[in-house]
Amino acid sequence: MTLDLFPETANPHANLLPYDGIVSDFGRIFTAAEADRYFEILQRDIPWRHDEAVIFGKHIITAREVAWYGDTSYNYGYSGANRIALPWSGVLHELKNRVEAAIADICPTRFNSCLLNRYNNGNEGMAWHSDEGQGLVKDSAIASLSLGAARKFAFKHKESKEKREMWLEHGQLIVMHGETQKHWLHTILKSTRIQEPRINLTFRVMAGQ
C-alpha cells in the first residue's frame, strides 16, 4: 500500500513513518527570496560533476550531478565508488548552521559533511537506496534540504514493502533519524512533466577518519 503525505502544516514532532524509523518534516525553513538566493549561488558556485556508480559490475556515469563536502577530506564510499570531501564553502557552512538551528529542539545534531545532488529536470532521479555508505555513523540523523523544483519523494520498507510518498518543495527540510536507514529505502521519483532543476543537500555525520 502507498500513502501520500501532504501535511497542511509541517509538524516536526510528528513521525511521517508508521514504524521502524523516524522522519520529521520541518517544512520550508527559508523565505522564498532566501531559498531563491541559495539556489542560485549553489547552481553557480558548486563544482558539479556527474556521479559514478558500479551496478552489477558495470561502471555507470549518472545523469545527475554531485558534490561532496566535509570538515576534513572524508572518504565516502557508495555504489562501488569512493569520493573525497572538498572543504566547506562559505554558503554551505551557512546552510549547515541554519539546518542545525532548525532541528535543534527535535534531534540536535552537529553535521560534519554534506552530499549535494543536482537534478536538471524530472527525467533525472535516483533508484531505491538507503544512506548506509562507508564511514557514516550508524543511525545518525541525515537532514535533507530541497531547493528548486518540487519533486515527489518516496519511502519503501525493506521487508513489508509498504510505501509512503510526499512532495519536497523549494526550501523544505526533512530529517531521517532513528533506524530509518536500516529499515527503509527511499527514492526521488521521475516525472517528464517537471522541466526545472532541483538541488538536494543531505547533511550527514561521518565517523572520524
Side-chain angles (χ1 to χ4, degrees):
M1 179 175 65
T2 299
L3 295 179
D4 282 310
L5 305 173
F6 296 110
E8 294 182 3
T9 302
N11 176 13
H13 294 277
N15 184 5
L16 299 185
L17 296 180
Y19 47 81
D20 287 348
I22 306 170
V23 175
S24 304
D25 180 13
F26 293 82
R28 298 176 184 173
I29 64 169
F30 304 123
T31 66
E34 286 178 318
D36 288 346
R37 171 180 168 270
Y38 285 126
F39 181 77
E40 293 303 323
I41 292 173
L42 295 175
Q43 282 270 70
R44 182 189 68 219
D45 293 348
I46 296 297
W48 298 103
R49 52 178 290 184
H50 292 283
D51 202 7
E52 301 180 42
V54 179
I55 302 175
F56 300 116
K58 294 183 179 181
H59 184 253
I60 304 295
I61 305 297
T62 66
R64 75 175 186 279
E65 298 164 282
V66 302
W68 169 237
Y69 287 82
D71 284 358
T72 188
S73 53
Y74 295 119
N75 185 340
Y76 184 34
Y78 64 90
S79 299
N82 290 312
R83 295 129 184 100
I84 304 299
L86 300 170
W88 292 106
S89 69
V91 70
L92 285 177
H93 217 281
E94 184 178 331
L95 286 168
K96 182 178 87 77
N97 290 340
R98 292 285 296 270
V99 166
E100 289 175 347
I103 71 173
D105 291 340
I106 305 296
C107 50
T109 306
R110 184 196 173 279
F111 298 107
N112 60 17
S113 52
C114 181
L115 180 67
L116 296 89
N117 286 279
R118 179 168 70 178
Y119 307 88
N120 291 294
N121 53 56
N123 292 313
E124 299 175 10
M126 187 175 291
W128 290 106
H129 69 284
S130 56
D131 292 329
E132 297 180 295
Q134 172 189 343
L136 282 173
V137 172
K138 182 181 178 181
D139 295 337
S140 56
I142 297 178
S144 176
L145 175 64
S146 297
L147 295 168
R151 295 289 298 269
K152 186 170 266 193
F153 188 67
F155 293 94
K156 179 170 68 173
H157 194 272
K158 293 180 181 180
E159 294 184 6
S160 72
K161 309 305 179 184
E162 184 172 350
K163 293 180 182 179
R164 292 291 189 273
E165 296 180 351
M166 65 185 300
W167 285 94
L168 295 178
E169 299 183 347
H170 189 38
Q172 185 173 354
L173 174 68
I174 65 170
V175 179
M176 300 175 283
H177 46 123
E179 293 190 327
T180 301
Q181 305 305 322
K182 178 180 177 180
H183 296 290
W184 293 82
L185 303 170
H186 56 270
T187 186
I188 287 289
L189 299 173
K190 295 182 180 181
S191 172
T192 57
R193 293 175 295 178
I194 298 172
Q195 298 301 315
E196 299 77 22
R198 171 184 181 259
I199 293 173
N200 174 238
L201 303 90
T202 48
F203 293 92
R204 301 158 184 251
V205 182
M206 297 290 288
Q209 298 184 26

